[in-house]
Amino acid sequence: MQNHLSEQEIIRRQYLDELRAMGVDPFPAQAFSVNTHASDLRHRFDTEPDAFKEISLAGRLMSKRNMGKASFAELQDSSGRIQLYINRDQICPGESKELYNTVFKRLCDIGDFIGVRGYGFKTQTGEISVHVQEFFFLAKSLHPLPIVKTDAEGNVHDAFTDPEQRYRKRYVDLIVNPHVKEIFVRRSRLINAMRRYFDERGWLEVETPVLQTIHGGAAARPFHTHHNALDMPLTLRIANELYLKRLIVGGFDGVYEFGKMFRNEGMDRTHNPEFTSMEIYVAYKDYIWMMEMVEDCLEKVITEVHGGTIVAIGNRKIDFKKPYRRLTMYDAIQEYAGIQVEHMDEATLRQYCRSQHIAVEDSMGRGKLIDSIFGEKVEGHLIQPCYITDYPLEMTPLAKKHRSKEGLVERFELYVNGKEIANAYSELNDPIDQKQRFELQLKLAARGDEEAMMMDEDFVHALEYGMPPTSGLGIGIDRLTMLVTGQEAIQEVLLFPQMKPEARHQA
RNA sequence: GAUCUGUUAGCUCAGUCGGUAGAGCAACGGCCUUUUAAGCCGUGGGUCUUGGGUUCGAGUCCCAAACAGAUCACCA
């Protein structure tokens, strides 16, 4: 992709040849045995100095301070950094001083992988370090790394912060920005903690198709693809809900899936074309039970990953301690917009939206209009975790009709920091009602609603065999991770966010 | 999709009224055996994102494009 090498890249390539000429393989094949990590030494040396008398470490050389016949360097392994003290006569006990003078001092660059053996000690200034007795070259790095330095006051100099470069070259970002690595460690722990919570309760982790002939389970535009052998169009899933409910029909008490979803829509700091959701369905439960499960799960999982229930995002502090506030959608609109929409008809709602400069389209039915008012007037106020319950039937074709409130469904969404992070229902299990709901969606589609759901005959057929009363939940894992790690852009919690190719690298 | 902002050395950034490009770190050559943003002396390194235009002359002014970020619209 590059035909022009910088001066520094040319020099590093020349060093490859020089190393080989000296009999040092710049990419040796054999394993290097490691018995200590940087953080072990840093954290335990003061209390257990005897444990570090014969240590070997490996990692990337991140800085070099040569002082003639001795040098200090920093080694970065997966656990962090540790200082090395390398003395010429220690690593070159014989006549030849080439390993120190030439291999280490000249041919070894910042970014190269090295292995060292020696012992732990403290320098005169009190820094825990490795006194290196043996030095091994493990792998050459041909590109110079950004040099990020931190001074005695903790100020970071020359930080590698350009988001474009960081996302395109995430490997470099991870090498030089330790706080970035921490975000992804936390993300993984969060997912594992949730998985443990579900497994402990006996629910089964499953996998359902990504390639679908009928995309269903959510209101969104899909990606289209094509299967050659079958010569048929397929779409990438926008949700896995209808498959998971088929499994409840099949007799599982609880099933869940962490999976990538794909939606062919806009991208911004809270949307990536592919994102991770967790959906779970539990038989013989309803949405009231689900609210209790979700707040219990989040409180436990966040405490486990974060060390407490309070997370900071921007200037705000959000407390995930249960229980969470519960507010019906109509009451929420009453509270924040000052109007009672319950008995308003479509024309009145549309007129209100226009008066408030809320964008409306002719294809919008009553449900979507209410949702627009909610989105415009209420969402931004919901900072602390809050359940919004009881949605208009029209916009929720997969949820069961409310047990006592006409025209509503048993649904809640969990809002945190002004954003929806979870969505749950008492699942609709009446196949005749379900079929009618799909037909209502088809009517909305005919009016021009591009996100209206498609009829899924096989799913209705599955419900006709009987599905127990079931509660289902979807959580946006990326958004939850954003909250737990204090990030305000989804790109910061995705290792490889979607990017357009750079023009200079095309063709 | 709209608006605004940005793109200069490997990295972080200066660049005045339009007059052939600067610093620190990194690199290269020296000196230095407990330093730590190590230090000291010296050297090299640029298609100023791309393409047009104005001008005697453009990193700088104008137009267009690419990519990114922010805000908005849509969505989760």
Side-chain angles (χ1 to χ4, degrees):
Chain A
M1 83 184 190
Q2 277 176 290
N3 43 30
H4 174 75
L5 293 178
S6 70
E7 178 193 36
Q8 294 191 43
E9 289 164 337
I10 292 165
I11 289 167
R12 287 183 180 220
R13 277 166 168 75
Q14 288 169 353
Y15 286 175
L16 286 180
D17 299 332
E18 290 193 44
L19 284 166
R20 289 191 176 107
M22 295 178 67
V24 177
D25 184 349
F27 298 103
Q30 66 269 26
F32 181 82
S33 151
V34 169
N35 68 10
T36 305
H37 280 91
S39 63
D40 299 334
L41 183 54
R42 274 206 320 273
H43 294 135
R44 291 172 41 220
F45 183 74
D46 280 332
T47 50
E48 314 166 56
D50 291 347
F52 298 98
K53 285 185 167 165
E54 284 183 22
I55 56 177
S56 69
L57 299 92
R60 206 184 273 277
L61 186 68
M62 294 304 286
S63 73
K64 260 201 314 191
R65 297 183 286 274
N66 294 334
M67 290 176 304
K69 297 178 186 66
S71 296
F72 288 90
E74 277 179 297
L75 183 79
Q76 176 170 293
D77 66 16
S78 62
S79 73
R81 293 192 187 185
I82 188 74
Q83 179 169 268
L84 307 179
Y85 173 69
I86 302 182
N87 184 303
R88 185 193 70 181
D89 297 327
Q90 292 274 319
I91 67 164
C92 301
E95 280 297 301
S96 168
K97 305 300 179 188
E98 276 209 325
L99 181 65
Y100 178 79
N101 285 334
T102 308
V103 176
F104 173 71
K105 268 177 74 176
R106 199 165 73 81
L107 302 181
C108 194
D109 286 303
I110 290 171
D112 291 354
F113 282 91
I114 59 171
V116 295
R117 295 204 183 114
Y119 57 88
F121 81 114
K122 263 193 186 181
T123 62
Q124 288 179 355
T125 52
E127 178 155 345
I128 296 167
S129 306
V130 180
H131 195 120
V132 175
Q133 293 169 300
E134 288 182 278
F135 171 87
F136 302 87
F137 199 94
L138 299 183
K140 190 77 192 144
S141 166
L142 296 178
H143 289 295
L145 284 173
I147 306 294
V148 182
K149 293 189 177 185
T150 307
D151 65 22
E153 284 84 48
N155 302 311
V156 177
H157 299 264
D158 299 339
F160 182 63
T161 54
D162 176 14
E164 179 170 1
Q165 290 305 310
R166 290 181 44 237
Y167 302 155
R168 286 188 196 284
K169 297 186 181 164
R170 185 66 94 180
Y171 39 88
V172 174
D173 192 27
L174 290 166
I175 293 166
V176 304
N177 290 324
H179 56 280
V180 171
K181 202 170 177 179
E182 181 58 27
I183 289 170
F184 293 102
V185 170
R186 278 212 192 175
R187 180 182 172 122
S188 176
R189 286 192 184 138
L190 177 76
I191 290 171
N192 281 316
M194 286 181 81
R195 181 174 278 132
R196 249 191 328 275
Y197 184 95
F198 300 146
D199 286 345
E200 281 166 5
R201 284 154 183 81
W203 302 325
L204 187 74
E205 182 167 20
V206 297
E207 291 170 276
T208 62
V210 171
L211 293 171
Q212 303 183 346
T213 49
I214 296 169
H215 62 278
R221 274 172 292 192
F223 285 91
H224 295 278
T225 186
H226 183 265
H227 190 281
N228 289 342
L230 296 174
D231 189 23
M232 64 183 289
L234 290 169
T235 53
L236 303 186
R237 68 179 172 193
I238 57 172
N240 50 4
E241 170 159 359
L242 302 186
Y243 282 95
L244 292 171
K245 283 196 270 198
R246 283 174 173 94
L247 296 176
I248 297 296
V249 170
F252 294 107
D253 270 339
V255 289
Y256 72 91
E257 178 175 18
F258 286 89
K260 281 281 183 75
M261 303 300 151
F262 305 84
R263 297 190 185 175
N264 205 342
E265 291 170 345
M267 286 170 57
D268 58 28
R269 70 185 198 294
T270 56
H271 297 84
N272 195 65
E274 57 182 287
F275 64 99
T276 302
S277 89
M278 192 296 301
E279 291 203 26
I280 181 164
Y281 292 80
V282 182
Y284 312 112
K285 305 297 186 190
D286 62 12
Y287 80 137
I288 307 288
W289 173 87
M290 187 64 87
M291 282 190 260
E292 286 161 11
M293 191 277 268
V294 168
E295 60 197 13
D296 183 63
C297 177
L298 288 181
E299 180 187 288
K300 283 192 168 67
V301 161
I302 288 170
T303 301
E304 189 174 330
V305 172
H306 185 70
T309 57
I310 298 174
V311 303
I313 184 143
N315 299 324
R316 290 167 170 157
K317 287 203 177 355
I318 291 166
D319 192 349
F320 280 92
K321 190 166 180 54
K322 69 178 182 184
Y324 304 158
R325 189 182 181 201
R326 298 179 190 189
L327 198 57
T328 70
M329 181 174 242
Y330 289 166
D331 287 348
I333 292 174
Q334 172 78 63
E335 179 172 335
Y336 293 102
I339 58 164
Q340 185 49 258
V341 295
E342 186 171 352
H343 300 297
M344 287 187 182
D345 62 15
E346 193 176 311
T348 313
L349 287 165
R350 180 166 281 115
Q351 194 183 359
Y352 171 79
C353 286
R354 294 218 168 102
S355 76
Q356 297 293 309
H357 306 290
I358 297 170
V360 292
E361 286 169 30
D362 292 342
S363 65
M364 285 181 169
R366 194 168 170 276
K368 276 215 162 189
L369 290 167
I370 291 173
D371 193 42
S372 291
I373 295 168
F374 178 81
E376 197 68 29
K377 297 286 184 184
V378 182
E379 263 188 33
H381 297 286
L382 305 176
I383 303 306
Q384 296 304 319
C386 177
Y387 291 121
I388 298 295
T389 65
D390 301 345
Y391 283 64
L393 179 142
E394 187 180 30
M395 54 186 284
T396 314
L398 302 171
K400 188 177 278 195
K401 280 176 184 157
H402 197 281
R403 61 195 73 183
S404 60
K405 296 177 186 169
E406 188 69 24
L408 299 182
V409 291
E410 297 207 347
R411 171 184 185 180
F412 73 80
E413 291 191 323
L414 175 60
Y415 280 85
V416 184
N417 198 34
K419 299 258 162 40
E420 179 207 331
I421 66 159
N423 182 20
Y425 316 141
S426 295
E427 300 294 337
L428 177 54
N429 61 346
D430 174 343
I432 295 167
D433 188 0
Q434 181 67 76
K435 181 141 192 179
Q436 286 168 352
R437 301 284 195 92
F438 277 134
E439 281 161 358
L440 180 61
Q441 289 294 304
L442 295 179
K443 281 182 196 156
L444 290 173
R447 282 175 66 173
D449 185 344
E450 289 185 54
E451 292 170 348
M453 280 186 205
M454 296 170 75
M455 170 72 73
D456 189 332
E457 298 276 5
D458 181 71
F459 174 66
V460 174
H461 190 69
L463 291 187
E464 285 170 0
Y465 282 95
M467 182 172 87
T470 298
S471 186
L473 164 82
I475 290 187
I477 294 297
D478 310 292
R479 290 190 174 176
L480 184 60
T481 305
M482 286 164 66
L483 290 169
V484 175
T485 58
Q487 297 302 311
E488 302 193 68
I490 198 170
Q491 287 76 16
E492 294 292 345
V493 301
L494 300 171
L495 281 165
F496 301 102
Q498 191 61 237
M499 302 285 276
K500 276 191 158 190
E502 276 180 294
R504 70 183 67 168
H505 292 156
Q506 282 175 336

